[in-house]
Amino acid sequence: MSGVVKNANPSFLNGVPELLILQLLAQQERYGYDLIKAIQARTQAQLSFGEGCIYPHLHHLEEAKLLASSRRRVEGRDRVYYRLTARGRKRLAALARDWDRVATGVSLVLGGQHA
Amino acid sequence: MSGVVKNANPSFLNGVPELLILQLLAQQERYGYDLIKAIQARTQAQLSFGEGCIYPHLHHLEEAKLLASSRRRVEGRDRVYYRLTARGRKRLAALARDWDRVATGVSLVLGGQHA
DNA sequence: TTGACATACCTCACGGTTTAAGGTATGAGT
DNA sequence: ACTCATACCTTAAACCGTGAGGTATGTCAA
């Protein structure tokens, strides 16, 4: 096609899906489609990620033993439920620290007028 | 070579260099090498970006008319000083809004236990 | 019963971005 | 003479969200 432009790599979102997935699964078991809706709901629609972002993450995180899954039929729906493993909890802690580092650094510069 | 692994795209840093460059140049004129040191200093070493990240950004931002440069000899050194244009100021405002969006969204999920 | 829509899963090419490493040149200090 | 910091530059590689594609099933109204 001509004129097809993809707005790839939006600012500041790198790594955020993984962080949110781990954090949300740390609180309760969820399936992919639900995670996508949960991210929109919990962030008050400030953030939203597509299926092409979330599903590959879930597969990769499970392969890395950070998540474990079980395919089940619930409410008349076939779903793949994911839950956090012990390793996943460690990664979440590390990622949360990374986020704090970056957020702190940015704040120091952005809000640094009155410092 | 064998065993050469690059840790590209670290979490949460996407877009941060551009935001910091624009913010720092909004306060005062700076040259590339100084920007790199200033980012380390102003973020209390929480953040640090290499020359291979900063210099291409400066070139690209100038090409997009968000920055203007002037090559000068100061303190016995040949330097390329950059300053923000009016367009650059608008981009900075937009980027800062984006940052707030993401930071707010992440906070809502991470700090959402007591909400 | 047909159609539309939401649910629920999956995959892929593309584009943008930081990293790590390479390079050149000059000034300062020993 | 040597080393180090300054100051600029470029490039390949790896990564990751987007946007679009696909399949299948459940629900509900017309």
PDB file of all heavy atoms in Angstrom, chain D residues 3 6 9 15-16:
ATOM      1  P    DT D   3      50.439   6.048  27.202  1.00  0.00           P
ATOM      2  OP1  DT D   3      50.674   4.679  27.694  1.00  0.00           O
ATOM      3  OP2  DT D   3      50.048   6.279  25.801  1.00  0.00           O
ATOM      4  O5'  DT D   3      49.361   6.756  28.136  1.00  0.00           O
ATOM      5  C5'  DT D   3      49.757   7.201  29.443  1.00  0.00           C
ATOM      6  C4'  DT D   3      48.721   8.148  30.007  1.00  0.00           C
ATOM      7  O4'  DT D   3      48.862   9.468  29.422  1.00  0.00           O
ATOM      8  C3'  DT D   3      47.279   7.706  29.735  1.00  0.00           C
ATOM      9  O3'  DT D   3      46.568   7.690  30.963  1.00  0.00           O
ATOM     10  C2'  DT D   3      46.725   8.768  28.773  1.00  0.00           C
ATOM     11  C1'  DT D   3      47.578   9.981  29.126  1.00  0.00           C
ATOM     12  N1   DT D   3      47.719  10.984  28.030  1.00  0.00           N
ATOM     13  C2   DT D   3      47.505  12.315  28.300  1.00  0.00           C
ATOM     14  O2   DT D   3      47.200  12.718  29.408  1.00  0.00           O
ATOM     15  N3   DT D   3      47.666  13.164  27.230  1.00  0.00           N
ATOM     16  C4   DT D   3      48.014  12.815  25.945  1.00  0.00           C
ATOM     17  O4   DT D   3      48.130  13.672  25.066  1.00  0.00           O
ATOM     18  C5   DT D   3      48.215  11.406  25.712  1.00  0.00           C
ATOM     19  C7   DT D   3      48.582  10.920  24.350  1.00  0.00           C
ATOM     20  C6   DT D   3      48.058  10.557  26.756  1.00  0.00           C
ATOM     21  P    DT D   6      35.620  15.878  31.085  1.00  0.00           P
ATOM     22  OP1  DT D   6      35.185  16.901  32.064  1.00  0.00           O
ATOM     23  OP2  DT D   6      34.868  14.610  30.930  1.00  0.00           O
ATOM     24  O5'  DT D   6      35.708  16.569  29.646  1.00  0.00           O
ATOM     25  C5'  DT D   6      36.427  17.780  29.512  1.00  0.00           C
ATOM     26  C4'  DT D   6      36.588  18.148  28.058  1.00  0.00           C
ATOM     27  O4'  DT D   6      37.261  17.071  27.358  1.00  0.00           O
ATOM     28  C3'  DT D   6      35.280  18.394  27.287  1.00  0.00           C
ATOM     29  O3'  DT D   6      35.301  19.701  26.775  1.00  0.00           O
ATOM     30  C2'  DT D   6      35.278  17.327  26.198  1.00  0.00           C
ATOM     31  C1'  DT D   6      36.763  17.034  26.037  1.00  0.00           C
ATOM     32  N1   DT D   6      37.105  15.708  25.460  1.00  0.00           N
ATOM     33  C2   DT D   6      37.716  15.662  24.239  1.00  0.00           C
ATOM     34  O2   DT D   6      38.000  16.656  23.591  1.00  0.00           O
ATOM     35  N3   DT D   6      38.003  14.383  23.787  1.00  0.00           N
ATOM     36  C4   DT D   6      37.745  13.197  24.437  1.00  0.00           C
ATOM     37  O4   DT D   6      38.055  12.112  23.921  1.00  0.00           O
ATOM     38  C5   DT D   6      37.098  13.312  25.711  1.00  0.00           C
ATOM     39  C7   DT D   6      36.783  12.077  26.509  1.00  0.00           C
ATOM     40  C6   DT D   6      36.809  14.550  26.168  1.00  0.00           C
ATOM     41  P    DC D   9      28.211  16.752  15.610  1.00  0.00           P
ATOM     42  OP1  DC D   9      27.789  17.609  14.483  1.00  0.00           O
ATOM     43  OP2  DC D   9      27.306  16.521  16.752  1.00  0.00           O
ATOM     44  O5'  DC D   9      28.649  15.319  15.058  1.00  0.00           O
ATOM     45  C5'  DC D   9      29.496  15.239  13.921  1.00  0.00           C
ATOM     46  C4'  DC D   9      29.910  13.802  13.660  1.00  0.00           C
ATOM     47  O4'  DC D   9      30.552  13.248  14.824  1.00  0.00           O
ATOM     48  C3'  DC D   9      28.776  12.826  13.394  1.00  0.00           C
ATOM     49  O3'  DC D   9      28.431  12.866  12.019  1.00  0.00           O
ATOM     50  C2'  DC D   9      29.420  11.482  13.741  1.00  0.00           C
ATOM     51  C1'  DC D   9      30.575  11.837  14.659  1.00  0.00           C
ATOM     52  N1   DC D   9      30.501  11.179  15.998  1.00  0.00           N
ATOM     53  C2   DC D   9      30.971   9.880  16.126  1.00  0.00           C
ATOM     54  O2   DC D   9      31.436   9.313  15.125  1.00  0.00           O
ATOM     55  N3   DC D   9      30.905   9.257  17.323  1.00  0.00           N
ATOM     56  C4   DC D   9      30.405   9.908  18.375  1.00  0.00           C
ATOM     57  N4   DC D   9      30.362   9.254  19.540  1.00  0.00           N
ATOM     58  C5   DC D   9      29.924  11.243  18.271  1.00  0.00           C
ATOM     59  C6   DC D   9      29.982  11.847  17.070  1.00  0.00           C
ATOM     60  P    DC D  15      17.204  -8.993  21.813  1.00  0.00           P
ATOM     61  OP1  DC D  15      17.584  -9.629  23.089  1.00  0.00           O
ATOM     62  OP2  DC D  15      16.738  -9.786  20.658  1.00  0.00           O
ATOM     63  O5'  DC D  15      16.098  -7.894  22.120  1.00  0.00           O
ATOM     64  C5'  DC D  15      16.488  -6.715  22.805  1.00  0.00           C
ATOM     65  C4'  DC D  15      15.417  -5.665  22.642  1.00  0.00           C
ATOM     66  O4'  DC D  15      15.480  -5.096  21.323  1.00  0.00           O
ATOM     67  C3'  DC D  15      13.997  -6.193  22.808  1.00  0.00           C
ATOM     68  O3'  DC D  15      13.445  -5.542  23.938  1.00  0.00           O
ATOM     69  C2'  DC D  15      13.285  -5.828  21.506  1.00  0.00           C
ATOM     70  C1'  DC D  15      14.175  -4.734  20.930  1.00  0.00           C
ATOM     71  N1   DC D  15      14.188  -4.571  19.446  1.00  0.00           N
ATOM     72  C2   DC D  15      13.876  -3.315  18.913  1.00  0.00           C
ATOM     73  O2   DC D  15      13.586  -2.394  19.674  1.00  0.00           O
ATOM     74  N3   DC D  15      13.907  -3.148  17.569  1.00  0.00           N
ATOM     75  C4   DC D  15      14.243  -4.167  16.775  1.00  0.00           C
ATOM     76  N4   DC D  15      14.262  -3.943  15.457  1.00  0.00           N
ATOM     77  C5   DC D  15      14.561  -5.454  17.300  1.00  0.00           C
ATOM     78  C6   DC D  15      14.520  -5.612  18.630  1.00  0.00           C
ATOM     79  P    DC D  16      12.143  -6.116  24.667  1.00  0.00           P
ATOM     80  OP1  DC D  16      12.239  -5.769  26.092  1.00  0.00           O
ATOM     81  OP2  DC D  16      11.928  -7.508  24.228  1.00  0.00           O
ATOM     82  O5'  DC D  16      10.992  -5.221  24.027  1.00  0.00           O
ATOM     83  C5'  DC D  16      11.087  -3.810  24.099  1.00  0.00           C
ATOM     84  C4'  DC D  16       9.962  -3.175  23.311  1.00  0.00           C
ATOM     85  O4'  DC D  16      10.307  -3.186  21.907  1.00  0.00           O
ATOM     86  C3'  DC D  16       8.640  -3.929  23.440  1.00  0.00           C
ATOM     87  O3'  DC D  16       7.612  -2.981  23.615  1.00  0.00           O
ATOM     88  C2'  DC D  16       8.500  -4.636  22.088  1.00  0.00           C
ATOM     89  C1'  DC D  16       9.202  -3.654  21.166  1.00  0.00           C
ATOM     90  N1   DC D  16       9.717  -4.240  19.897  1.00  0.00           N
ATOM     91  C2   DC D  16       9.778  -3.436  18.767  1.00  0.00           C
ATOM     92  O2   DC D  16       9.412  -2.261  18.850  1.00  0.00           O
ATOM     93  N3   DC D  16      10.243  -3.959  17.611  1.00  0.00           N
ATOM     94  C4   DC D  16      10.638  -5.238  17.574  1.00  0.00           C
ATOM     95  N4   DC D  16      11.096  -5.720  16.408  1.00  0.00           N
ATOM     96  C5   DC D  16      10.581  -6.085  18.723  1.00  0.00           C
ATOM     97  C6   DC D  16      10.121  -5.549  19.863  1.00  0.00           C
TER      98       DC D  16
END
